[in-house]
């Protein structure tokens, strides 16, 4: 409850404690038991992380109906295995190289050595938060409390490409602006991060955009279920080529 949070000081810090409270708000993601969403840059993702079962599931949308090519990915990780089901849309969907071999509609079992480092297909069980909010908040350069459980300030995102939620090309395009990117944040009654909005300014060919990350169901996520065996095939080379 809000009263409990106020008593513990987690959700109602004095102004001078705002940065520390925000840094502490990401600690719960290390437990690896939560649901999350991410939107920004023409893509979106939602899913669950369940470290107790060494599993995670994400539904990722890349591009939209106005794009030449859009993709929707249903990615399941159950250590040590991963699978993806791919749907393609957009005007160019019918001309994707190797389309006939892509096994669309099936879950494709992935070779871990071929997806390592690919943020759309890979999942690192040593870094449990796909959005990397802990990395982002460590770049806070200024923060103030704006209300009960609400914060605003600026971030230095120049070294935040590893966070997973910010594109490295966008960070590069920002140049010096990357050191003072505005953000807002909210924490729940237990002082845990519930929303982080990074307000990326326009730079070069890149339009201004908001990257919005949310967290919920801390401690109450569920294990990701492995796909039924009769819906699984081995991923062909064409699948990996699609992401290169």
């Amino acid at each position: 409850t809000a009263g409990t949070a106020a008593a513990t000081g987690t959700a109602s810090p004095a102004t001078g404690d705002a940065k520390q409270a925000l840094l502490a708000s990401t600690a719960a993601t290390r437990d690896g038991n939560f649901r999350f969403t991410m939107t920004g840059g023409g893509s979106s993702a939602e899913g669950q992380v369940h470290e107790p079962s060494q599993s995670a599931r994400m539904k990722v949308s890349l591009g939209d109906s106005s794009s030449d090519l859009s993709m929707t990915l249903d990615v399941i990780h159950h250590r040590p295995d991963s699978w993806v089901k791919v749907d393609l849309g957009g005007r160019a969907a019918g001309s994707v190289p190797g389309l006939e071999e892509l096994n669309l509609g099936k879950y494709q079992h992935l070779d871990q050595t071929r997806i390592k480092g690919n943020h759309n297909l890979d999942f690192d069980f040593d870094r449990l938060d796909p959005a990397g909010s802990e990395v982002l908040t460590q770049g806070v350069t200024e923060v103030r409390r704006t209300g009960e459980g609400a914060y605003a300030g600026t971030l230095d995102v120049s070294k935040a490409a590893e966070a997973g939620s910010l594109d490295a090309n966008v960070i590069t395009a920002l140049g010096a602006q990357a050191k003072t990117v505005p953000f807002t944040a909210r924490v729940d009654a237990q002082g845990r991060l519930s929303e982080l909005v990074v307000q990326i300014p326009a730079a070069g060919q890149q339009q201004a955009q908001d990257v919005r990350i949310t967290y919920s169901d801390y401690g109450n996520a569920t294990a990701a279920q492995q796909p039924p065996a009769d819906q699984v095939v081995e991923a062909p080379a064409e699948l990996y080529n699609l992401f290169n």
Side-chain angles (χ1 to χ4, degrees):
T1 66
T4 302
T8 60
T10 53
S12 303
T15 303
D17 296 330
K19 182 174 182 178
Q20 191 55 46
L22 195 58
L23 291 172
S25 74
T26 63
T29 63
R30 296 180 211 148
D31 294 334
N33 192 328
F34 56 85
R35 298 189 63 81
F36 72 94
T37 69
M38 287 189 291
T39 58
S43 66
S44 63
E46 62 175 327
Q48 68 206 60
V49 176
H50 193 253
E51 198 277 338
S53 63
Q54 294 280 279
S55 71
R57 184 171 189 171
M58 284 160 239
K59 295 189 177 180
V60 182
S61 296
L62 305 172
D64 55 32
S65 57
S66 66
S67 305
D68 287 340
L69 180 65
S70 62
M71 274 192 282
T72 302
L73 312 176
D74 182 0
V75 191
I76 299 173
H77 304 281
H78 209 292
R79 202 173 191 181
D81 294 296
S82 300
W83 304 262
V84 63
K85 182 161 70 173
V86 181
D87 287 315
L88 298 178
R91 293 180 294 274
S95 58
V96 170
L99 182 64
E100 305 80 13
E101 309 297 326
L102 279 177
N103 297 311
L104 300 182
K106 292 276 192 180
Y107 282 96
Q108 305 191 50
H109 182 249
L110 298 167
D111 179 344
Q112 296 294 314
T113 65
R114 299 184 73 170
I115 65 172
K116 191 168 182 63
N118 184 313
H119 69 274
N120 289 317
L121 298 179
D122 190 19
F123 186 80
D124 186 350
F125 280 95
D126 294 322
R127 294 173 55 199
L128 292 164
D129 178 11
S133 290
E134 188 168 18
V135 173
L136 291 173
T137 56
Q138 285 170 356
V140 167
T141 51
E142 182 269 322
V143 60
R144 61 196 178 278
R145 183 171 177 259
T146 58
E148 186 68 29
Y151 301 87
T154 55
L155 293 168
D156 178 355
V157 300
S158 60
K159 299 181 178 66
E162 66 184 78
S165 49
L166 297 185
D167 188 289
N169 294 325
V170 172
I171 295 172
T172 300
L174 286 172
Q177 292 185 92
K179 295 190 175 295
T180 53
V181 175
F183 78 93
T184 61
R186 298 196 67 85
V187 300
D188 67 12
Q190 285 73 47
R192 303 170 300 196
L193 187 66
S194 59
E195 180 186 74
L196 178 65
V197 181
V198 183
Q199 297 155 348
I200 306 291
Q205 302 299 311
Q206 182 71 45
Q207 294 184 337
Q209 60 173 293
D210 284 354
V211 175
R212 182 174 184 265
I213 304 160
T214 70
Y215 298 92
S216 61
D217 292 339
Y218 283 110
N220 294 310
T222 55
Q225 300 302 306
Q226 299 184 38
D230 62 356
Q231 294 182 32
V232 172
V233 295
E234 284 299 320
E238 287 80 5
L239 185 279
Y240 301 105
N241 292 340
L242 192 61
F243 292 91
N244 286 341

